[in-house]
């Protein structure tokens, strides 16, 4: 018995990192994004995978000290240079320029680069053979299958989602999606699931061509279906410009045509995705206050359609509109904004005061014929991308 126990511990000692990486491959995509501890001034949380990765690093360092594994010094040097730059940047902007005024967030952002990138060094240390490499690829693709199966269950059976798309959701509530909602499977949001699928698709197809096993081709079709269910336009575009050139590069014209037809058919089965594409740019009459730049867009707000945003390009083309219906919608939008502004200031308006404010605002607005983007693209064009560019400068 003692001999068997010793052999077991010896085997465990020799394979502990391989086992932990195997668990990691399933834990990261499959475990629901439930918070353990919220981080102040943000709705990002410390989660169980962070604890697991910390444990994995500790085990790795112990094995490194014991010379059970060897680290790749070339990559370590390059990674260490990058990490040093990130931490120096954080410290400089916390203590010198003081533009990072919530210091723990700057440090956490820096630490996350180590958390994410350190896994690569660990895997590089333990994968020594082609057999081991393909074993991990097979595990990754099996976890992809499980993610897809859960997404199907979420769409058609009502399996719950745990999302972090706003501060309230990030508290770890179980959400049950409405029929028109976009699936997120076990991920924090539909966009994260879509990015995961796009990243793995070329690997999946490459593995299918290597193994010549139809199981992997059917998994690719299922993955395309789930990508369509996410209705993520940017990831869908990334799929188109990565997978199809990849097939041409591999000289697989038959598979190119088959996957293209499957993609087209599956795309048109999703009203959500096609509707989002069709509403990316809309020809619309909007109302603009020429002195303040305020934009008011007459539109019904529903969960089934992406509303128009305030990014627009004026056109000198007449637009056929029902002026009476347009005016009613305009008054409704202004009234909503007046009520929202009053609530934020703690005011209670009478109906007469409300009407006076609506009339005053409406009188300063002029109709403009435009091509207007949806709110998702407008947010990127007006806020996210300019901020990112300024931060880079």
């Amino acid at each position: 018995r003692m001999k068997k126990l010793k052999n077991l511990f010896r085997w465990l000692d020799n394979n502990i990192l391989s086992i932990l990486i195997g668990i990691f491959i399933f834990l990261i995509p499959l475990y629901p994004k439930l918070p353990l501890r919220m981080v102040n001034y943000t709705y990002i949380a410390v989660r169980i995978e962070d604890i697991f990765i910390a444990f994995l690093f500790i085990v790795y360092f112990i094995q490194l000290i014991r010379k059970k594994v060897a680290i790749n010094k070339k990559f370590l040097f390059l990674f260490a240079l990058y990490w040093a730059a990130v931490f120096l940047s954080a410290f400089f902007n916390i203590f010198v320029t003081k533009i990072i005024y919530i210091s723990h967030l700057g440090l956490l952002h820096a630490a996350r680069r180590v958390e994410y990138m350190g896994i690569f060094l660990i895997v590089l240390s333990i994968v020594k053979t082609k057999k081991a490499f393909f074993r991990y690829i097979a595990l990754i693709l099996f976890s992809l299958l499980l993610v897809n199966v859960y997404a199907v269950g979420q769409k058609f059976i009502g399996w719950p989602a745990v999302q972090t798309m706003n501060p309230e959701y990030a508290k770890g509530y179980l959400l049950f999606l409405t029929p028109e909602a976009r699936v997120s499977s076990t991920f924090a949001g539909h966009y994260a699931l879509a990015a995961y699928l796009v990243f793995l698709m070329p690997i999946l197809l490459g593995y299918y061509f290597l193994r010549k096993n139809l199981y992997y081709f059917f998994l690719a079709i299922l993955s395309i279906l789930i990508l369509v269910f996410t209705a993520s336009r940017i990831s869908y575009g990334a799929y188109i410009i990565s997978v199809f050139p990849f097939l041409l590069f591999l000289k697989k014209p038959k598979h190119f045509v088959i996957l293209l037809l499957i993609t087209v058919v599956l795309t048109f089965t999703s009203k959500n995705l096609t509707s989002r594409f069709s509403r990316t740019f809309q020809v619309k009459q909007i109302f603009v206050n020429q002195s303040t730049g305020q934009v008011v867009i007459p539109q019904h707000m529903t969960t089934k359609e992406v509303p128009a945003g305030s990014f627009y390009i004026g056109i000198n083309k007449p637009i056929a509109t029902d002026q009476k219906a347009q005016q009613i919608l305009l008054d409704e939008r202004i009234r909503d904004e007046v009520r929202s502004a009053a609530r934020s200031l703690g005011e209670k308006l009478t109906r007469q005061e409300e009407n006076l404010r609506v009339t005053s605002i409406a009188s300063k607005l002029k109709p403009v014929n435009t091509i207007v983007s949806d709110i998702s693209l407008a947010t990127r064009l007006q806020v996210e991308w300019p901020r990112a560019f300024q931060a880079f400068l």
Side-chain angles (χ1 to χ4, degrees):
R1 280 184 183 178
M2 283 300 292
K3 190 178 179 182
K4 282 185 179 179
L5 204 58
K6 279 183 180 178
N7 288 339
L8 176 63
F9 279 118
R10 192 179 294 115
W11 179 86
L12 202 59
D13 187 29
N14 291 331
N15 295 280
I16 184 68
L17 285 171
S18 298
I19 293 166
L20 290 176
I21 288 296
I23 294 169
F24 172 85
I25 285 168
F26 288 96
L27 179 71
I28 297 301
L30 291 171
Y31 189 80
K33 305 304 177 270
L34 297 165
L36 288 180
R37 180 185 172 85
M38 300 304 294
V39 178
N40 291 339
Y41 303 107
T42 179
Y43 55 90
I44 290 170
V46 176
R47 300 196 295 250
I48 197 167
E49 58 261 41
D50 298 303
I51 305 300
F52 180 83
I53 290 170
F55 175 69
L56 177 56
F57 282 168
I58 291 166
V59 173
Y60 179 67
F61 283 125
I62 291 169
Q63 297 297 72
L64 205 57
I65 292 164
R66 296 174 62 220
K67 297 185 178 178
K68 300 288 287 186
V69 290
I71 197 163
N72 185 301
K73 290 186 175 65
K74 180 183 173 183
F75 279 106
L76 176 63
F77 175 72
L78 294 171
F79 281 24
L81 275 179
Y82 175 77
W83 292 333
V86 170
F87 276 99
L88 279 171
S89 175
F91 282 116
F92 183 77
N93 290 297
I94 290 167
F95 298 111
V96 182
T97 66
K98 297 186 179 179
I99 60 171
I100 300 176
Y101 50 88
I102 303 174
S103 57
H104 72 270
L105 292 187
L107 292 172
L108 278 172
H109 274 297
R112 286 176 88 184
R113 308 311 121 201
V114 180
E115 179 184 23
Y116 296 162
M117 296 167 66
I119 297 294
F120 175 82
L121 291 173
I122 296 174
V123 175
L124 195 62
S125 297
I126 63 174
V127 176
K128 299 296 182 188
T129 65
K130 193 185 285 189
K131 184 180 178 183
F133 174 76
F134 285 122
R135 181 169 65 242
Y136 286 123
I137 293 291
L139 289 177
I140 288 167
L141 296 181
F142 184 59
S143 71
L144 170 64
L145 171 65
L146 296 178
V147 166
N148 283 337
V149 168
Y150 194 89
V152 171
Q154 203 173 67
K155 179 75 175 176
F156 298 108
I157 307 174
W159 291 354
V162 178
Q163 298 183 350
T164 64
M165 292 174 65
N166 64 44
E168 199 60 29
Y169 289 176
K171 292 175 184 176
Y173 296 122
L174 292 181
L175 306 172
F176 296 91
L177 305 183
T178 57
E180 69 273 4
R182 294 179 281 174
V183 298
S184 57
S185 187
T186 51
F187 283 79
H190 62 274
Y191 50 86
L193 170 61
Y196 168 80
L197 293 170
V198 170
F199 181 77
L200 285 183
M201 193 71 75
I203 297 171
L204 171 58
L205 289 170
Y207 201 68
Y208 159 67
F209 293 128
L210 179 74
R211 296 296 187 208
K212 295 180 173 55
N213 186 328
L214 276 175
Y215 157 76
Y216 296 108
F217 188 71
F218 289 128
L219 180 55
I221 295 171
L222 178 60
S223 298
I224 297 166
L225 176 65
I226 302 306
L227 179 63
V228 168
F229 285 162
T230 67
S232 172
R233 289 168 295 180
I234 197 76
S235 293
Y236 183 90
Y239 157 71
I240 296 295
I241 64 173
S242 61
V243 165
F244 291 101
F246 176 66
L247 291 171
L248 290 176
F249 176 76
L250 292 181
K251 297 177 182 175
K252 302 289 182 183
K254 185 173 76 172
H255 289 89
F256 181 99
V257 172
I258 292 169
L259 276 180
L260 183 61
L261 288 172
I262 289 168
T263 300
V264 169
V265 170
L266 292 178
T267 299
F268 282 100
T269 61
S270 170
K271 288 183 181 177
N272 202 343
L273 181 59
T274 52
S275 169
R276 287 181 71 81
F277 271 120
S278 67
R279 295 185 68 80
T280 301
F281 294 101
Q282 306 162 37
V283 177
K284 210 172 187 68
Q285 188 179 76
I286 66 171
F287 291 81
V288 180
N289 183 322
Q290 302 293 343
S291 58
T292 66
Q294 179 193 12
V295 175
V296 180
I297 304 170
Q299 60 186 332
H300 286 296
M301 305 291 281
T302 73
T303 58
K304 295 183 180 180
E305 288 186 352
V306 185
S310 56
F311 178 82
Y312 67 91
I313 299 169
I315 56 173
N316 294 319
K317 180 183 176 183
I319 300 172
T321 56
D322 183 336
Q323 292 298 326
K324 188 177 179 183
Q326 191 85 329
Q327 190 62 48
I328 291 168
L329 277 174
L330 178 64
D331 288 346
E332 284 178 1
R333 293 289 297 137
I334 297 171
R335 195 174 297 279
D336 286 343
E337 290 183 15
V338 165
R339 287 172 178 170
S340 178
R343 273 197 303 273
S344 67
L345 295 170
E347 294 180 341
K348 289 186 179 179
L349 301 177
T350 64
R351 185 71 176 177
Q352 187 178 7
E353 288 172 329
E354 209 176 77
N355 289 340
L356 280 171
R357 291 193 186 184
V358 169
T359 305
S360 173
I361 292 169
S363 66
K364 297 171 186 173
L365 297 173
K366 286 191 174 180
V368 179
N369 296 335
T370 65
I371 296 173
V372 65
S373 74
D374 68 47
I375 198 165
S376 179
L377 181 59
T379 303
R380 285 160 177 77
L381 291 170
Q382 292 174 302
V383 182
E384 291 182 1
W385 292 345
R387 280 184 183 173
F389 185 66
Q390 282 208 315
F392 174 73
L393 291 178

